[in-house]
Amino acid sequence: AKGVTTCFADSNALKGTLIENLKYFQPTRFFGAPRVWEKMEEKIRLAGKDTKGVKRKLADWAKNEALNYHLQHEAGNGKESLGYKVAKKLVMSKIREALGLEHCGQYFATGGAAIAKETHLFFMSIDIRLAEVYGSTESLGPQIQGRWVPGQNRLGSVGKLQGGLAEGKLFNLNERNEG
């Protein structure tokens, strides 16, 4: 319906080739099951362990700015502070580029299972806010999804029914299946 291309990572993605896949495909939206996000978190933390001195202080400051922004956003304040804007430009853009996610904007999602709050917060701290989705992949895709609108997403929640589903337009939600 949207005219999109879907790309799937190779069979070794969780063993270390995921970033190569992302750099090759250059996605504009990225969906991963919680295990995908956990593996990415492990790699990012491992890479960050070697950062020392001024670079470490700058990274820690930027992560704090991003986390504060996203927590405020979820509370209903979508205004970007000057510190957050600078952190995005100096640090977060480099992280996204290193991950092959520089074209994604704010379109990141997770589903298929619950994601750990710590993982969710970690990605917020590197300016990747995950929308949690719930739905049947075999039929309609995500019917319930966290939103990117200030105050419309709660950490650990899949959110509200999407589009016509909320109004029962695609099928009658009040009808019982008698078959």
Side-chain angles (χ1 to χ4, degrees):
K2 299 277 185 181
V4 300
T5 301
T6 301
C7 303
F8 295 90
D10 66 46
S11 60
N12 293 316
L14 294 181
K15 296 177 186 168
T17 63
L18 179 61
I19 304 303
E20 293 169 25
N21 281 243
L22 293 172
K23 287 181 176 183
Y24 177 79
F25 290 117
Q26 298 182 355
T28 55
R29 295 172 185 220
F30 182 66
F31 172 85
R35 187 67 184 138
V36 171
W37 295 106
E38 291 163 2
K39 293 297 273 186
M40 287 177 69
E41 179 182 4
E42 288 173 19
K43 291 274 187 190
I44 296 165
R45 286 187 187 276
L46 190 60
K49 281 180 85 173
D50 297 332
T51 307
K52 306 276 188 248
V54 174
K55 210 172 182 182
R56 164 61 82 187
K57 287 192 183 297
L58 179 62
D60 288 345
W61 167 81
K63 286 169 61 177
N64 190 52
E65 288 292 324
L67 181 59
N68 284 335
Y69 165 73
H70 289 293
L71 291 174
Q72 289 294 315
H73 191 278
E74 289 202 356
N77 177 10
K79 186 168 170 46
E80 295 182 357
S81 69
L82 177 60
Y84 172 66
K85 289 178 185 179
V86 171
K88 267 182 22 174
K89 184 79 171 165
L90 293 179
V91 179
M92 301 308 160
S93 62
K94 309 291 187 278
I95 292 172
R96 283 190 183 204
E97 188 175 328
L99 295 173
L101 297 172
E102 67 267 31
H103 301 292
C104 284
Q106 291 295 327
Y107 298 105
F108 301 97
T110 186
I115 190 165
K117 183 177 181 180
E118 295 76 25
T119 299
H120 202 124
L121 291 170
F122 172 80
F123 280 99
M124 282 180 165
S125 79
I126 61 169
D127 202 33
I128 294 176
R129 196 166 86 243
L130 304 175
E132 296 188 58
V133 300
Y134 173 84
S136 170
T137 57
E138 294 81 7
S139 58
L140 298 172
Q143 290 94 38
I144 303 175
Q145 169 178 329
R147 300 177 185 217
W148 287 275
V149 179
Q152 295 291 310
N153 196 36
R154 218 175 60 237
L155 195 62
S157 170
V158 293
K160 300 176 180 179
L161 282 171
Q162 295 300 294
L165 289 172
E167 293 82 35
K169 291 179 183 173
L170 298 179
F171 54 86
N172 187 341
L173 295 173
N174 296 318
E175 230 174 67
R176 290 182 56 187
N177 183 356
E178 299 296 332

